[in-house]
Amino acid sequence: MRGFTLLELLVVMVIIGLLAGYVGPRLFSQIGKSETKAARAQINALESALDQYRLDTGRYPSTEQGLAALVTKPANEARWAGPYLRKNIPDDPWGKPYLYKQPGERGEFDLFSYGKDGAPGGTGDAADVTNW
């Protein structure tokens, strides 16, 4: 029975290292894109819930009430017919809460996430994900 020589093992390790160096960055860039797509899908679902809330009550929740009004009946809201979400309000894919403003600066309400960096603006994974 013949084993591998040290030289053969080193050659295999170099090949594996080169493959990892080539494939790794491409794989991790796809992960960032999937987080952004997940955030867009969650924002769309929250928008639908907000629209249903508006149909029932005649208005969107205030900034103070926030997205919590989709799950828990606000005080003095007689026409509330929720909950409007099956589960609790999700955090964005980066573990931060979605931001909600009503009235919005860009529409009737603004719903957004600051992305991976948690700061306004940015590009790539750090870009804001918005409903406008």
Side-chain angles (χ1 to χ4, degrees), residues 38-122:
R40 288 189 199 288
Q42 287 176 332
I43 285 176
N44 287 338
L46 290 169
E47 276 186 303
S48 295
L50 286 163
D51 288 340
Q52 185 62 47
Y53 180 98
R54 181 178 180 223
L55 286 173
D56 289 345
T57 64
R59 60 179 186 79
Y60 289 110
S62 67
T63 301
E64 293 76 28
Q65 292 171 324
L67 297 175
L70 298 175
V71 179
T72 306
K73 181 179 179 181
N76 303 324
E77 193 62 71
R79 294 173 36 193
W80 189 86
Y84 298 95
L85 295 173
R86 291 183 187 166
K87 299 179 181 178
N88 286 334
I89 300 157
D91 285 339
D92 69 16
W94 301 279
K96 299 174 185 80
Y98 284 100
L99 303 168
Y100 173 77
K101 293 180 185 176
Q102 197 283 326
E105 297 172 10
R106 314 260 176 142
E108 291 188 78
F109 63 87
D110 292 347
L111 180 60
F112 55 99
S113 165
Y114 283 137
K116 186 176 184 176
D117 64 353

Side-chain angles (χ1 to χ4, degrees), residues 13-38:
M13 289 176 59
V14 167
I15 291 171
I16 291 172
L18 289 172
L19 286 173
Y22 179 73
V23 174
R26 292 175 183 257
L27 178 66
F28 289 117
S29 71
Q30 293 302 317
I31 291 171
K33 288 180 185 175
S34 67
E35 289 172 333
T36 301
K37 287 180 183 177

